[in-house]
Amino acid sequence: MKPTFLTIAFAGLFILITSCKQDAKDLAPKKPNIVFIMSDDHAYQAISAYDDKLIRTPNIDRIAKEGMLFTNASVTNSICAPSRAVILTGKHSHINGKIDNISPFDTTNVTFPQLLQKAGYQTAMFGKLHFGNNPKGFDEFKILPGQGDYYNPRFITATGDTIVTGYVTDITTDLTLDWLQNRRDAEKPFMLMYLHKAPHRSWMPAPRHYKEFTKNTYPLPATLFDDYATRETTAGPAEMNILKHMTLRYDLKITDEVLEELNIEEHLGIGGLNKFNPEQRAEWDKVYGPINEAFKKEYGNMNDSTLMVWKYQRYMQDYLGTIAAVDENVGRVLDYLDNEGLTQNTIVIYTSDQGFYLGEHGWFDKRFMYNESFKTPLLIKWPNVITPGTTEDEMVQNLDFAQTFLEVAGVTAPEDMQGKSLVPLLKGEKEKWDRDAVYYHYYEYPAEHAVKRHYGIATKEFKLIHFYYDVDVWELYDRAKDPQELNNVFNDPDYAQVVSELKDKLNGLRKKYKDSDSLSNQYIQLYKDKGLIEE
């Protein structure tokens, strides 16, 4: 039977409508991909977009050059696992329950990856999560157990564990690129969490960086020999002084044989060297063997000052050596996005789980609300949205990431999230940003490094901190006049009005975020119940 004119007309109309629908679909804006890059303990001082005195990080800097550099980004609780819980949940530690590295993460918390996955995003996580072995909201994950190892690391997957030979920073990137190349669904937007172990203690560089970095000498921090004169009961007792608490064996790679010859007793083994295969150990010994021999010869002539300087230099050589590999590998991922045509519709974030002390106040580690651990690096690029090369000094926190990602994806954030989306700042709409202060609370005491419990408020001009539990001490810092935070002016009559205003503002933030002395006491009782605090 021959087709009638009417049949042909309807067929033509159907094809036209279908074609128009497909064209409209192709023209519809696609949801942005999200690449979240986070390192562990990466100090902003060790990113050359912030300061190039210590190291050049050209690939991380690319994110700032093509996007935005935040100069007032901070964390809500400067310690690894709690920081990550805040990022995932968009809630302060006292709300999500992950107050420290000891307590388990409450898996009934709803995380932003779960919400993005539900909204149609393909999701993946590779690298260091640092709590829990089965993260929710991910189509695929390969994560390090706990702290993980620098060499020949074990990875946890949904189907079982696997050990991969090589250097962890390179391997984490290999896994990430493998997913992007081979299992990414091109029809879906994706959210990728690319999480580095480095530069976490015990700071083991990749072999290709041994020789270069162990020969470097770095400028000494102005506060390396801080005596904590106005902070004797708060900063003074902390156990993270480079001279007193940084170990020669675990941290600085001095061998048992040398320590025995020098009659030095230490209890921590050299972190990670037991993971080497024979070839890796031989390569290590070629460079670190002579360092041990030189130390053996020099040690007898060292006093406290010269030993402090020697330790600082060894610390920086290895710490910054691990960052060199992070920067190279960030470049690999950025290059892939460029080469595959993904850059234009992908927002890329680089940050750390908190800041870190690189000799300031004589310290390593973090935990305090003082600047170097409170402040965290944050660089974001989003083509056609962020003006390249922008610097932003508004006060933002890791608390804000979840709501930012949800808004980027067009997903409504749950009402109980406590942050603020950064999208207005990314778009240059500063008039829509109304935050003038941020809140901080640290809980893990008594514990490693002996940093006392404290909470506080920071504005661009001042920082007010209350240390509690076994002390009752207030500190105030004038951030403009005293950027190194050496002088506690809480009892200075000239600052009485500032103290009064900040206490009122602090009480307002505590009420807003639903924190209180009563809740703090509950967490203290939790420590007592676990036997971490004596009754």
Side-chain angles (χ1 to χ4, degrees):
M1 186 175 85
K2 292 183 179 181
T4 65
F5 171 78
L6 192 59
T7 304
I8 294 172
F10 274 120
L13 183 61
F14 176 77
I15 292 170
L16 178 62
I17 292 171
T18 303
S19 175
C20 288
K21 284 184 177 179
Q22 185 61 45
D23 289 344
K25 180 181 178 182
D26 292 342
L27 292 172
K30 295 180 179 178
K31 290 185 176 182
N33 306 310
I34 300 168
V35 176
F36 180 72
I37 311 172
M38 184 166 70
S39 297
D40 194 311
D41 292 344
H42 192 171
Y44 71 89
Q45 311 93 290
I47 294 177
S48 48
Y50 287 96
D51 191 333
D52 62 2
K53 292 189 184 75
L54 294 175
I55 191 172
R56 296 292 305 174
T57 52
N59 294 295
I60 297 172
D61 291 358
R62 275 168 63 184
I63 301 172
K65 289 177 181 176
E66 297 174 15
M68 183 174 287
L69 179 76
F70 287 83
T71 58
N72 248 329
S74 64
V75 296
T76 64
N77 184 357
S78 186
I79 186 168
C80 298
S83 175
R84 293 159 191 265
V86 168
I87 289 169
L88 286 169
T89 64
K91 300 175 186 177
H92 275 278
S93 300
H94 61 274
I95 299 295
N96 69 50
K98 185 64 177 167
I99 61 167
D100 53 31
N101 280 339
I102 303 165
S103 57
F105 178 65
D106 180 357
T107 56
T108 64
N109 279 299
V110 175
T111 65
F112 79 82
Q114 290 173 271
L115 298 172
L116 291 179
Q117 187 184 50
K118 186 177 179 181
Y121 270 71
Q122 188 181 16
T123 58
M125 174 190 284
F126 301 99
K128 182 176 179 180
L129 174 60
H130 194 203
F131 64 84
N133 294 339
N134 189 24
K136 292 183 178 181
F138 292 95
D139 299 311
E140 182 176 330
F141 63 85
K142 291 184 175 70
I143 57 175
L144 298 165
Q147 295 291 358
D149 295 304
Y150 272 105
Y151 284 88
N152 309 327
R154 179 165 65 94
F155 283 86
I156 298 168
T157 76
T159 57
D161 294 3
T162 182
I163 294 176
V164 186
T165 301
Y167 185 65
V168 68
T169 306
D170 300 335
I171 295 167
T172 299
T173 308
D174 292 342
L175 297 173
T176 299
L177 292 175
D178 173 62
W179 180 82
L180 283 168
Q181 291 167 344
N182 299 315
R183 288 180 303 289
R184 178 178 65 86
D185 185 346
E187 298 301 314
K188 289 184 176 182
F190 65 86
M191 192 285 295
L192 169 65
M193 298 191 79
Y194 167 48
L195 311 174
H196 286 294
K197 170 183 170 60
H200 193 278
R201 193 182 185 189
S202 61
W203 316 303
M204 296 182 69
R208 60 186 177 276
H209 296 129
Y210 292 168
K211 290 183 180 179
E212 174 190 354
F213 281 85
T214 54
K215 292 178 181 177
N216 289 344
T217 300
Y218 297 96
L220 302 182
T223 60
L224 182 65
F225 294 97
D226 188 354
D227 61 4
Y228 319 118
T230 68
R231 298 147 293 140
E232 292 179 356
T233 59
T234 54
E239 296 176 358
M240 54 192 200
N241 183 273
I242 290 174
L243 175 65
K244 298 176 182 178
H245 306 113
M246 183 174 281
T247 66
L248 292 167
R249 178 195 281 124
Y250 180 76
D251 295 316
L252 305 178
K253 324 305 187 298
I254 299 302
T255 65
D256 287 336
E257 292 78 12
V258 170
L259 292 177
E260 187 174 343
E261 284 189 50
L262 297 175
N263 198 29
I264 298 172
E265 291 188 10
E266 288 189 348
H267 303 293
L268 289 176
I270 297 181
L273 263 64
N274 61 323
K275 298 295 181 178
F276 280 148
N277 61 36
E279 293 78 15
Q280 291 166 336
R281 183 58 195 254
E283 196 167 9
W284 175 272
D285 287 341
K286 285 180 184 178
V287 175
Y288 285 82
I291 290 173
N292 272 264
E293 289 303 312
F295 178 75
K296 185 167 62 174
K297 293 176 182 178
E298 296 166 10
Y299 180 72
N301 296 319
M302 290 181 177
N303 57 32
D304 282 353
S305 294
T306 54
L307 181 58
M308 172 69 125
V309 171
W310 183 89
K311 282 187 162 187
Y312 168 76
Q313 296 296 347
R314 275 271 48 248
Y315 167 35
M316 285 298 93
Q317 289 166 358
D318 287 349
Y319 177 93
L320 296 170
T322 69
I323 288 173
V326 171
D327 186 70
E328 290 170 350
N329 280 282
V330 167
R332 292 174 63 197
V333 171
L334 295 179
D335 288 346
Y336 178 87
L337 297 175
D338 286 347
N339 295 336
E340 296 299 316
L342 294 169
T343 295
Q344 290 303 307
N345 194 42
T346 300
I347 179 171
V348 178
I349 300 92
Y350 186 90
T351 191
S352 172
D353 51 355
Q354 64 266 316
F356 211 68
Y357 291 103
L358 304 185
E360 299 88 2
H361 306 295
W363 288 335
F364 64 102
D365 207 68
K366 56 260 184 180
R367 302 167 197 263
F368 277 110
M369 195 183 173
Y370 303 139
N371 192 52
E372 290 81 10
S373 60
F374 174 66
K375 180 175 176 177
T376 192
L378 180 60
L379 307 84
I380 304 178
K381 76 183 187 84
W382 189 4
N384 306 312
V385 176
I386 296 176
T387 301
T390 303
T391 298
E392 180 54 75
D393 71 344
E394 292 296 333
M395 304 198 73
V396 305
Q397 288 192 294
N398 58 351
L399 182 71
D400 303 323
F401 294 167
Q403 281 158 279
T404 301
F405 301 147
L406 292 174
E407 182 171 350
V408 165
V411 178
T412 301
E415 290 184 2
D416 60 350
M417 282 190 173
Q418 297 181 303
K420 290 172 65 71
S421 169
L422 303 179
V423 169
L425 295 178
L426 302 181
K427 291 182 174 180
E429 299 171 347
K430 292 187 68 162
E431 68 279 2
K432 296 181 180 180
W433 188 261
D434 60 358
R435 178 190 286 158
D436 63 356
V438 294
Y439 182 63
Y440 180 91
H441 199 152
Y442 175 81
Y443 300 85
E444 193 173 298
Y445 179 85
E448 186 178 8
H449 297 300
V451 173
K452 296 182 182 296
R453 295 172 183 243
H454 59 288
Y455 60 84
I457 183 175
T459 67
K460 290 181 182 179
E461 297 82 15
F462 298 100
K463 189 180 293 180
L464 179 69
I465 310 172
H466 181 215
F467 290 85
Y468 69 96
Y469 171 60
D470 62 343
V471 294
D472 182 8
V473 177
W474 288 88
E475 295 180 355
L476 175 70
Y477 297 96
D478 187 324
R479 302 183 77 188
K481 293 181 180 179
D482 180 26
Q484 295 176 335
E485 298 174 330
L486 293 172
N487 301 302
N488 173 19
V489 294
F490 180 79
N491 293 315
D492 187 330
D494 291 341
Y495 288 90
Q497 184 64 29
V498 173
V499 168
S500 177
E501 291 174 358
L502 284 180
K503 278 192 172 183
D504 286 345
K505 190 179 285 288
L506 174 60
N507 289 334
L509 281 185
R510 299 194 85 198
K511 184 176 181 180
K512 173 183 177 180
Y513 293 129
K514 302 178 181 178
D515 200 6
S516 65
D517 290 343
S518 174
L519 193 54
S520 296
N521 289 335
Q522 289 180 36
Y523 284 123
I524 289 171
Q525 186 61 47
L526 184 65
Y527 265 54
K528 290 179 179 178
D529 292 343
K530 291 181 178 180
L532 300 172
I533 294 177
E534 293 183 4
E535 292 281 1

